[in-house]
């Protein structure tokens, strides 16, 4: 029988792990002159960090940590594509002179 609760726990760990590995890969992909090897590099990083992460912070054993690494590899690309172009670089946030606040987000002292 399929243990859906355990699978759900593994997927939640993989989601958290994929954000970490995606950031790590984005920072270190400059080491490669050709983009042909980045997918293989991403797969190896996800499996490696997945195993280390699961063995350190969870009770998931080695074979199942491979699944978490695989789920992380599959999810990292999806997360990156969904966030691409939506994240403002820190440099732009620092140099920006105006801040826009929506009217519904303003808190009046009179309302309290």
């Amino acid at each position: 029988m399929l243990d859906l609760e355990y699978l759900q726990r593994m997927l939640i760990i993989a989601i958290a792990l994929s954000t970490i590995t995606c950031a790590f890969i984005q920072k270190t992909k400059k080491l490669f002159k050709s983009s042909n090897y980045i997918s293989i590099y991403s797969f190896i990083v996800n499996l490696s960090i997945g195993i280390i992460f699961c063995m350190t912070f969870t009770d998931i054993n080695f074979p199942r940590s491979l699944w978490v690494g695989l789920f992380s590899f599959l999810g990292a690309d999806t997360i990156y594509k969904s966030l691409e172009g939506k994240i403002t670089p820190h440099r732009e946030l620092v140099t920006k002179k105006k801040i826009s606040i929506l009217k519904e987000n303003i808190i009046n002292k009179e309302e309290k």
Side-chain angles (χ1 to χ4, degrees):
M1 191 68 173
L2 185 62
D3 189 357
L4 292 175
E5 185 176 318
Y6 195 73
L7 179 62
Q8 181 182 17
R9 284 180 41 214
M10 288 174 56
L11 288 172
I12 290 170
I13 294 168
I15 290 169
L17 186 63
S18 66
T19 58
I20 295 167
T21 56
C22 186
F24 179 79
I25 290 166
Q26 290 302 314
K27 297 281 185 190
T28 59
K29 74 178 182 180
K30 299 169 189 160
L31 302 173
F32 296 97
K33 295 182 185 199
S34 173
S35 62
N36 297 334
Y37 300 108
I38 292 179
S39 293
I40 296 167
Y41 173 66
S42 175
F43 182 72
I44 292 169
V45 166
N46 277 288
L47 281 182
S48 303
I49 294 178
I51 292 168
I52 294 168
F53 188 86
C54 287
M55 301 299 271
T56 305
F57 298 112
T58 68
D59 60 345
I60 296 175
N61 58 14
F62 177 75
R64 291 183 175 168
S65 65
L66 290 172
W67 282 106
V68 171
L70 178 66
F71 295 152
S72 172
F73 171 70
L74 296 174
D77 185 48
T78 305
I79 290 170
Y80 177 75
K81 286 181 181 175
S82 66
L83 293 177
E84 190 175 30
K86 295 180 183 174
I87 299 175
T88 307
H90 182 262
R91 180 173 44 258
E92 287 181 23
L93 292 173
V94 172
T95 59
K96 194 172 184 179
K97 302 226 181 208
K98 287 186 176 180
I99 297 175
S100 301
I101 300 174
L102 295 174
K103 190 174 183 177
E104 58 264 10
N105 292 338
I106 296 174
I107 301 172
N108 292 326
K109 291 182 181 180
E110 299 169 0
E111 293 178 4
K112 289 185 177 181

